[in-house]
Amino acid sequence: MRIAIAFDGQYASAARNMLSSLARCLPPKSGVRISALMTDDSPSADVVEHAMSRGLDLEVVRLRRDLSDLPLLRYLTGATYARLFLPELVPDDVALYMDVDVVLMRDVTELFATDLGDRPLAAVRDMWRPNLHEALAGGGSGRFAPDAPYFNAGVMLCNLRQWRRESLTERVLHWLASQDQVPVCLEQDALNALTHGRWIELDPRWNVFPMTDFRDIPPEAWPPRLGTEYHAYRDQERRAFVLHFIGSRKPWRHPYPDTENLRRYRHFTTPTVEDVTPNPVTSPSRPTSLPVPEAPSLALTGRRGSATLPAAVFGYPVEHDQDQWSQRRKRRRVDDSN
């Protein structure tokens, strides 16, 4: 069984934390091999040593690709595209990809029992942007039914054999290059557009966002369902198999709300945070059997207004990102004409 993660120097601390939680959930002698996909020459010895100290079999795989023509958001680097190149970086037919900003509370090898057939992947429907039509608004969304599901690629069981058959990686790169504006979720949008109707939906507990940790965001930034489904979100977070800290607000950085989910992150991992701004919440040195205390709900603030996504928190494209992408496209057109 192959598990793949991707990170660069900015996310090395998160990778160590994620590997700690993975080690605690894997059964003895699981036979899992971990490939750490890295797109730069950041030091990786400490992550390898950290994995070995927890009994994990981890190898570093360098992605030697020029990704400068691909769109990026301000808080993301080329590492976000590494998962696209899994078919050429690992020899397996199936691999489980996971972002490193997750904490695991269940044995993820259970997912390998999923019968993928000729489907390219299995994933969880996105909690924030569940519908493909809405998620790809302005990007060819008219081709999709209003209720067509949209998945989050942070936890994804990949049928690499099928990816190779379909040349899916090359098609994703072509789709990205053809966009006039920066896609809201970059290659995740591309994967959704190109695998529409052909992916398997997993139990939502395998990729749960800490939605209730963002209650301090003004209400106009939230989809209407937050107010009506808050308790359902809270219950799903408590029952999560994988808790995924999406966006630019991370539990290993300050500030992060002092919430139940932050306590769970610190409870299930042993963070090493010397390379990031420390969080004021104290972390236990090792897991305990004590229940994780529940934090009070954060109060909603702000006034009702237009439903604008909170770019500062979730890292969605803003005007600066769009301008840079437009300038790169113009330069590329000039180069091609010459």
Side-chain angles (χ1 to χ4, degrees):
M1 290 179 285
R2 175 85 59 173
I3 292 177
I5 61 177
F7 65 95
D8 56 18
Q10 296 182 37
Y11 278 74
S13 175
R16 291 191 293 266
N17 297 349
M18 177 267 178
L19 291 169
S20 292
S21 65
L22 173 62
R24 298 181 192 196
C25 295
L26 288 178
K29 300 180 179 179
S30 64
V32 168
R33 301 192 66 185
I34 305 166
S35 293
L37 314 180
M38 300 185 68
T39 57
D40 62 9
D41 293 321
S42 299
S44 56
D46 62 330
V47 177
V48 175
E49 181 180 354
H50 181 85
M52 291 178 59
S53 70
R54 282 151 179 77
L56 298 175
D57 179 8
L58 181 143
E59 63 171 350
V60 172
V61 181
R62 299 285 180 180
L63 175 60
R64 307 297 182 183
R65 281 252 190 168
D66 181 8
L67 305 177
S68 59
D69 282 343
L70 294 174
L72 286 175
L73 306 181
R74 287 174 297 168
Y75 85 104
L76 291 176
T77 65
T80 189
Y81 290 108
R83 56 189 158 196
L84 293 179
F85 303 100
L86 269 172
E88 66 185 57
L89 295 176
V90 301
D92 307 69
D93 288 337
V94 176
L96 175 63
Y97 170 83
M98 290 188 290
D99 284 345
V100 294
D101 56 352
V102 302
V103 60
L104 282 61
M105 288 157 283
R106 191 178 177 97
D107 175 16
V108 292
T109 62
E110 295 178 23
L111 289 173
F112 285 91
T114 305
D115 183 6
L116 292 170
D118 61 355
R119 307 293 183 91
L121 61 94
V124 171
R125 190 167 185 168
D126 196 285
M127 295 177 68
W128 183 268
R129 310 166 73 223
N131 299 318
L132 188 60
H133 182 83
E134 297 175 7
L136 299 185
S141 60
R143 297 185 294 114
F144 310 117
D147 60 346
Y150 176 97
F151 65 82
N152 180 272
V155 177
M156 187 167 53
L157 186 66
C158 303
N159 185 345
L160 300 183
R161 177 184 294 178
Q162 191 66 23
W163 281 45
R164 297 180 188 111
R165 286 174 178 168
E166 298 183 12
S167 300
L168 185 57
T169 298
E170 289 72 21
R171 292 168 57 213
V172 166
L173 296 176
H174 177 76
W175 188 94
L176 288 167
S178 68
Q179 304 303 302
D180 291 328
Q181 295 187 341
V182 179
V184 173
C185 286
L186 304 180
E187 83 291 351
Q188 179 174 287
D189 283 357
L191 282 169
N192 270 275
L194 295 173
T195 64
H196 164 56
R198 298 189 302 113
W199 58 277
I200 296 173
E201 188 168 345
L202 297 174
D203 186 317
R205 289 174 292 180
W206 287 112
N207 191 353
V208 177
F209 303 165
M211 300 281 279
T212 59
D213 288 5
F214 298 95
R215 295 277 287 183
D216 58 327
I217 296 173
E220 61 266 22
W222 279 102
R225 63 181 179 275
L226 177 71
T228 58
E229 300 180 19
Y230 175 78
H231 293 292
Y233 283 132
R234 197 166 184 79
D235 180 64
Q236 193 166 28
E237 289 168 11
R238 292 192 184 105
R239 299 184 301 111
F241 299 159
V242 177
L243 195 59
H244 184 188
F245 292 87
I246 61 167
S248 57
R249 179 188 279 183
K250 303 298 185 185
W252 61 89
R253 294 178 182 150
H254 177 72
Y256 193 91
D258 183 1
T259 64
E260 178 182 359
N261 290 319
L262 177 62
R263 288 176 168 85
R264 294 177 79 183
Y265 181 86
R266 295 303 183 90
H267 178 81
F268 285 103
T269 63
T270 307
T272 303
V273 293
E274 67 275 5
D275 56 343
V276 296
T277 305
N279 196 296
V281 179
T282 303
S283 169
S285 59
R286 58 178 61 88
T288 68
S289 58
L290 297 175
V292 181
E294 180 174 337
S297 301
L298 295 173
L300 283 169
T301 59
R303 297 178 299 168
R304 292 284 173 185
S306 61
T308 304
L309 290 172
V313 173
F314 290 96
Y316 292 153
V318 294
E319 186 175 351
H320 175 71
D321 300 311
Q322 299 288 5
D323 288 345
Q324 285 195 334
W325 177 233
S326 298
Q327 291 171 10
R328 285 202 299 270
R329 285 179 59 84
K330 289 178 181 177
R331 287 197 298 269
R332 187 162 58 246
R333 290 193 186 104
V334 171
D335 294 339
D336 292 343
S337 64
N338 294 334

